Amino acid sequence: MTELQTTPRPRRPRPKAVRLTEAAAARVTEIMANAAKPYVGLRVGVKNGGCAGQEYTFAYAEEIGAMDEVVEDKGVTILIDPKAILFLIGSEIDYETTKLASKFVFRNPNQTDACGCGESVTIIPAKALDVD
């Protein structure tokens, strides 16, 4: 009887929870370069509020939390609070400039509704996948 030898399969790279467009990465890099003090990255999250129920949040991050999801994209470090990760999976963050405003915009496949002003959204958490 011959013994079977098993070799562990290489793990495939995990997709990034959040991606930045070139415009968003350039703007975040510019903002961080002009910040009053050095920060480790940009904290992105979701909080309850607004007329549609939830709002996206941005903040300078002074440290990486033990449970933060850390995403490196186009030279920018993005930190996502573990409570927000299922709401943000698959999102793209863009930076748009129009004649009247300049702002970061989320393109989130988990978003099901938004208010008229665009400041508040309804997001359904992504289903967790069982992946080897």
Side-chain angles (χ1 to χ4, degrees), residues 26-130:
R27 183 64 179 137
V28 170
T29 301
E30 179 184 359
I31 290 170
M32 298 295 263
N34 294 319
K37 60 182 182 177
Y39 293 98
V40 297
L42 176 68
R43 186 170 304 283
V44 178
V46 175
K47 70 176 185 174
N48 291 335
C51 50
Q54 296 164 308
E55 298 173 346
Y56 296 111
T57 62
F58 284 104
Y60 293 120
E62 294 185 17
E63 60 185 36
I64 298 173
M67 300 300 289
D68 283 345
E69 176 79 15
V70 180
V71 177
E72 298 284 340
D73 192 26
K74 297 177 182 67
V76 175
T77 301
I78 304 166
L79 307 174
I80 305 171
D81 182 290
K83 291 181 244 167
I85 192 69
L86 289 178
F87 293 100
L88 296 174
I89 289 175
S91 294
E92 178 183 69
I93 302 171
D94 194 7
Y95 185 74
E96 295 179 348
T97 301
T98 66
K99 290 181 181 182
L100 299 176
S102 296
K103 63 183 179 177
F104 287 97
V105 176
F106 278 79
R107 292 189 187 93
N108 185 341
N110 308 304
Q111 183 176 313
T112 60
D113 196 13
C115 67
C117 68
E119 295 295 321
S120 176
V121 294
T122 304
I123 309 169
I124 303 298
K127 294 194 186 325
L129 300 175
D130 290 326

